[in-house]
Amino acid sequence: MHAAAPATSTGAKARPTLRDVALLAGVSPKTVSRVVNGEAGVSAPKTAAVQRAIAQLDYRPNFTASSLRRSSGRSAAIAAVLEDLANPFSAALHRALEDAARDRGVLIFAGSVDENPERERDLIHAFTMRQADALVVVPASDDQSYLAGEVNAGTPVVFVDRPPVGLPVDAVLADNHDGAASAVHHLVAHGHRDIAYLGDLQTIPTARQRFQGFREALTDHGIRPSAAPAVHDLHTERESEAAVRRLLSAGSPPTALFTSQNLVTIGAIRALQQLGRQHEVALVGFDDFPLADLLQPAVTVVAQDPSEMGRVAASLIFRRLDGEQWRPRTHLVATRLIPRGSGEIRGPHRG
């Protein structure tokens, strides 16, 4: 016997219900409920039949029904799967989502993936099992096609900061390429041609986009990209600090640094201060961070706008929930170079 979830008026397959499972398994809804909740008293054959029906229909129990679900059938909750809630970028993104959701009487459930694809899947599975109305995802994996079932069931999904792979959904991204290029143009304008790149994990699409922008901007100024020192796969302050120490102890050290992520920037600043070089080596960081303007020198940054990215993502989510339809696309949010001092330290090459 085969059964399929009913289609909605928009053509998307509706999520199977407990009654659908009961019908397919040939048992009562009460029996299905007892099996789902792990209660005793159900015979082995009936338990097996229910479990087969659950697998066949890809049924997901609604754990929030008693506390959150509205008469509209929505759970009044949106799941945010972010990189690291302790990171200033993720925190600002989360706050923007929360502010927009509060205006609609909706909760935000959030978790950190810590650049772990398995953790990404586990979090998304946990949130979808609780039937979140929508998903906002900063992915760690290199293929998100496993979310196709959710999208086909009509769950709005928006990716933020990194583009989706294998999944046709909206994405809200910073203009990473042009932001990185603007840092190089700025440093060259201040007399630097020996510029080192310090980057995050190469598995992260935004890190690759920033490195590409860095290389192309060097070429624009007649600087061979292969001649520029580049250190990748730095994901902690300590790793960045050690990398800067190595670069500055080399025979021909760079006169300027481009650090492509805020934690990498902080590690670089710590190294420069410990070496007493913070007023000699120029630095432009990608991503702003708290107190960057109070350091000596204050830190020049290419600032993303995670708050605006969160607002755009929330707008897309709620428009989808309200029934609007459009072809998924990428929504770019501009970056802004903020000169504060560290990026204006003069280099040896006068224009």
Side-chain angles (χ1 to χ4, degrees), residues 145-167:
S145 59
Y146 67 90
L147 275 169
E150 283 297 317
V151 174
N152 291 337
T155 302
V157 178
V158 173
F159 278 53
V160 179
D161 191 42
R162 303 170 189 177
V165 178
L167 193 70

Side-chain angles (χ1 to χ4, degrees), residues 155-226:
T155 302
V157 178
V158 173
F159 278 53
V160 179
D161 191 42
R162 303 170 189 177
V165 178
L167 193 70
V169 296
D170 286 296
V172 181
L173 311 177
D175 195 340
N176 292 286
H177 179 282
D178 285 3
S182 72
V184 173
H185 297 322
H186 188 77
L187 289 168
V188 171
H190 285 80
H192 298 278
R193 297 182 68 82
D194 298 311
I195 307 168
Y197 173 91
L198 292 100
D200 206 335
L201 304 175
Q202 294 182 84
T203 55
I204 301 174
T206 52
R208 297 196 297 269
Q209 292 163 5
R210 292 169 193 175
F211 186 52
Q212 184 66 22
F214 171 82
R215 289 172 56 88
E216 291 182 10
L218 290 177
T219 301
D220 290 343
H221 294 282
I223 303 170
R224 289 187 300 111
S226 60

